[in-house]
Amino acid sequence: MKKIEPTNRATSLTIALPEGKNLGQQTLDLLRDARIIVKRGNPRAIEGRVEGIPGITRAIFCRPEQVNYFVARGIAQFGITGKDVILERPEDSVEVLAELPYSRQTA
């Protein structure tokens, strides 16, 4: 398994995105609707390129429950995950910036 390294903040920021059948495709669709494109070398790639958000150039794909972990430890500076993850696995350094209009129930 490839080790995921922290981002060099001087050059770019990273967003952690959920992968899997529940939130993965909905997240990519939501971003695409906002004209934010995430490109992966292949469907199973851990990392991808982000186009459409100034300063955020890298995406890492992980299980929804890992997003908090990656953000709290500086591996990613932003993340999208379910509210249940935030409530069940709180991290002091993670802050909710917005609630998005989709969920596992609407998948």
Side-chain angles (χ1 to χ4, degrees):
M1 177 177 226
K2 182 179 178 182
K3 183 177 178 185
I4 300 174
E5 299 291 336
T7 300
N8 177 350
R9 291 185 188 182
T11 58
S12 72
L13 299 174
T14 297
I15 186 168
L17 299 174
E19 182 172 63
K21 63 182 178 179
N22 290 323
L23 293 177
Q25 190 57 52
Q26 279 189 306
T27 300
L28 294 176
D29 292 346
L30 180 76
L31 292 172
R32 186 192 66 238
D33 291 347
R35 294 189 171 96
I36 299 165
I37 306 301
V38 180
K39 296 181 179 180
R40 294 168 100 167
N42 68 63
R44 297 185 53 84
I46 294 172
E47 293 187 40
R49 265 190 7 251
V50 177
E51 298 173 359
I53 306 175
I56 300 177
T57 60
R58 179 177 170 232
I60 54 173
F61 295 89
C62 55
R63 293 189 318 264
E65 59 272 11
Q66 292 176 306
V67 171
N68 248 9
Y69 176 88
F70 288 136
V71 172
R73 282 146 190 85
I75 295 167
Q77 290 70 51
F78 303 94
I80 296 176
T81 194
K83 188 174 184 177
D84 60 324
V85 172
I86 302 297
L87 296 173
E88 292 170 11
R89 300 168 189 245
E91 294 277 358
D92 290 338
S93 60
V94 173
E95 170 182 347
V96 175
L97 299 177
E99 291 192 31
L100 301 176
Y102 72 103
S103 67
R104 191 173 291 178
Q105 286 79 17
T106 60

